[in-house]
Amino acid sequence: MQIHRHPLLSQSLGTHRELVSFHYGTPDTGPKVYIQASLHADELPGMLVAHHLRERLAALEAKGALRGEVVVVPVANPLGLSQRVLGGAAGRFDLQTGENFNRHYPSLGDAVWAEAGALLGSDAEVNVQRIRAALRACVVRLPAATELQSMRRTLLALACDAEIVLDLHCDHEAVLHLYTGTALWPQAEALARCLGAEVSLLAADSGDQPFDEACSQLWWEIAARAGTLTAADGRARPVPPACLAATVELRGEADVSHAQAASDAQALLDFLTHRRVIDGLRTPLPPLRREPTPLAGSEPVTSPVSGVIAWHKAPGDWVARGETVAEVIDPISATVTPLTSATDGVLYARENRRFAVAGMRLAKVAGTLATRTGKLLSA
Ligand SMILES: [Zn+2]
């Protein structure tokens, strides 16, 4: 195992932050896997999973069972982790710019195409290597004029050429669910099955460039361009979706325990064994809990009024369209406002605060019909 320390640009006199990455196995001897935790710094289940993973990966490395390289960044956002506001943890938004820490990653499809498009030929594996080389070069050239930019560039540099990228998050209160690219589902199904995901949300473009899409989306963008060229000269230029990137939501913010983290770490190792990153017996995959649904079918339950929230439904519950999910109560006027689901589906995440202000999104229901357009992720 190697420890790499990555100093970030110092934002202000007297402060120095760094990212620390742990590298198991040997680079370029097999697949590269990248796993990071707590990019939203207030989401801690993944941090404990990373702790358990490190111990397990060290043991696997010691007995020579790792093929390729597994990179773990247990604390992906030291900027956010240092945010304490009036005694509470923040960590989701950069205080300088207001930007969500898991949005606004650069879309590199155009730049990579400009660098590697003309080099692509009929061998898919050679194309993958050429695209990865161009991608690494493009990431190195990204601006790093602020501490936030230098953190984003460092994380992308560690992840961009990996075959598997897992970004470990959580919701407020939730069942385990994941977000990934529509084109990646044939690969992601095994991940969903190993983790026991209750919901898998698919999109080709969720709208705001989260970290996982910055790693994966360029592959289908380049494939589309390469496919256009095929017709012109008759030669196929195959470009597979060579980066399985997913945002894994490890339940809710309070779901942090050794038992759960050890179980989740084992599930991730089972998946890596299935992908032959780890030598070992490939046990049969657990059944898929539920078929994937479009991210565009995920319907928010929004409160039009302010008041105290009384839940009728919990994460994991199936709700029917029109069914009451919660009530919002104004104890002054004694008004009780029922909030209903706009779709049939699984209520997979809900607020952990119990006071609503008008316009607040209180829950999310995974419907099967893609009804929404535009930006598909919440703030
Ligand atoms: Zn998150």
Side-chain angles (χ1 to χ4, degrees):
M1 189 271 291
Q2 290 193 7
I3 303 174
H4 295 182
R5 297 184 178 278
H6 313 269
L8 303 183
L9 180 77
S10 173
Q11 185 80 3
S12 181
L13 294 176
T15 64
H16 298 275
R17 293 194 179 90
E18 64 178 9
L19 288 165
V20 184
S21 56
F22 298 86
H23 299 245
Y24 301 86
T26 308
D28 303 321
T29 57
K32 177 179 174 182
V33 177
Y34 175 82
I35 302 173
Q36 71 177 21
S38 305
L39 180 58
H40 285 142
D42 52 337
E43 301 173 2
L44 300 175
M47 206 182 275
L48 192 58
V49 170
H51 170 73
H52 283 265
L53 270 179
R54 286 193 52 207
E55 189 178 328
R56 299 289 307 278
L57 289 168
L60 289 164
E61 183 183 58
K63 67 176 189 181
L66 285 185
R67 300 183 190 185
E69 181 185 29
V70 181
V71 181
V72 180
V73 177
V75 179
N77 184 359
L79 279 74
L81 204 59
S82 67
Q83 293 177 349
R84 309 293 297 186
V85 181
L86 301 176
R92 185 174 181 85
F93 301 95
D94 176 47
L95 293 177
Q96 297 290 324
T97 60
E99 289 185 1
N100 186 316
F101 282 116
N102 190 28
R103 307 284 186 271
H104 314 297
Y105 275 83
S107 180
L108 293 169
D110 288 349
V112 171
W113 177 257
E115 186 136 338
L119 304 175
L120 302 182
S122 57
D123 186 321
E125 185 51 37
V126 171
N127 288 347
V128 168
Q129 297 310 323
R130 286 181 173 156
I131 290 168
R132 285 199 179 124
L135 183 53
R136 282 190 288 266
C138 290
V139 170
V140 167
R141 293 197 295 265
L142 288 173
T146 67
E147 191 176 32
L148 175 60
Q149 285 180 346
S150 82
M151 187 175 83
R152 285 179 170 153
R153 187 174 76 176
T154 303
L155 293 172
L156 261 189
L158 284 162
C160 70
D161 56 357
E163 192 171 298
I164 297 169
V165 172
L166 302 178
D167 193 10
L168 306 183
H169 287 246
C170 70
D171 213 301
H172 292 123
E173 295 176 354
V175 288
L176 196 149
H177 58 285
L178 53 88
Y179 299 87
T180 192
T182 309
L184 297 172
W185 179 247
Q187 301 180 60
E189 180 181 342
L191 177 67
R193 289 169 68 163
C194 288
L195 285 165
E198 300 282 352
V199 168
S200 301
L201 297 153
L202 306 183
D205 182 3
S206 63
D208 260 338
Q209 283 298 111
F211 183 82
D212 70 307
E213 274 184 17
C215 297
S216 60
Q217 193 176 52
L218 64 108
W219 290 96
W220 49 87
E221 289 177 354
I222 290 172
R225 293 190 181 205
T228 307
L229 285 183
T230 302
D233 67 2
R235 285 180 65 213
R237 291 175 168 80
V239 177
C243 178
L244 168 55
T247 297
V248 178
E249 303 280 345
L250 295 169
R251 307 175 194 81
E253 288 177 2
D255 296 322
V256 182
S257 71
H258 274 307
Q260 190 67 73
S263 171
D264 288 340
Q266 181 62 53
L268 293 174
L269 295 174
D270 289 345
F271 173 65
L272 297 185
T273 306
H274 172 79
R275 289 288 296 236
R276 300 199 182 283
V277 178
I278 297 169
D279 282 330
L281 189 64
R282 297 167 84 198
T283 52
L285 292 172
L288 183 66
R289 300 240 177 146
R290 198 164 282 110
E291 291 296 320
T293 51
L295 180 58
S298 172
E299 290 286 348
V301 177
T302 303
S303 179
V305 296
S306 176
V308 63
I309 303 162
W311 288 106
H312 285 221
K313 297 291 181 182
D317 285 350
W318 178 268
V319 296
R321 183 178 179 189
E323 195 172 4
T324 298
V325 169
E327 290 174 334
V328 179
I329 294 134
D330 175 350
I332 300 172
S333 67
T335 306
V336 177
T337 304
L339 304 182
T340 58
S341 176
T343 182
D344 296 334
V346 179
L347 187 154
Y348 64 95
R350 73 180 189 187
E351 258 295 336
N352 55 1
R353 291 167 290 188
R354 294 295 182 259
F355 185 74
V357 293
M360 189 170 161
R361 286 184 172 193
L362 300 189
K364 293 179 275 195
V365 179
T368 54
L369 295 176
T371 50
R372 295 189 301 138
T373 55
K375 294 182 187 298
L376 299 175
L377 297 171
S378 53

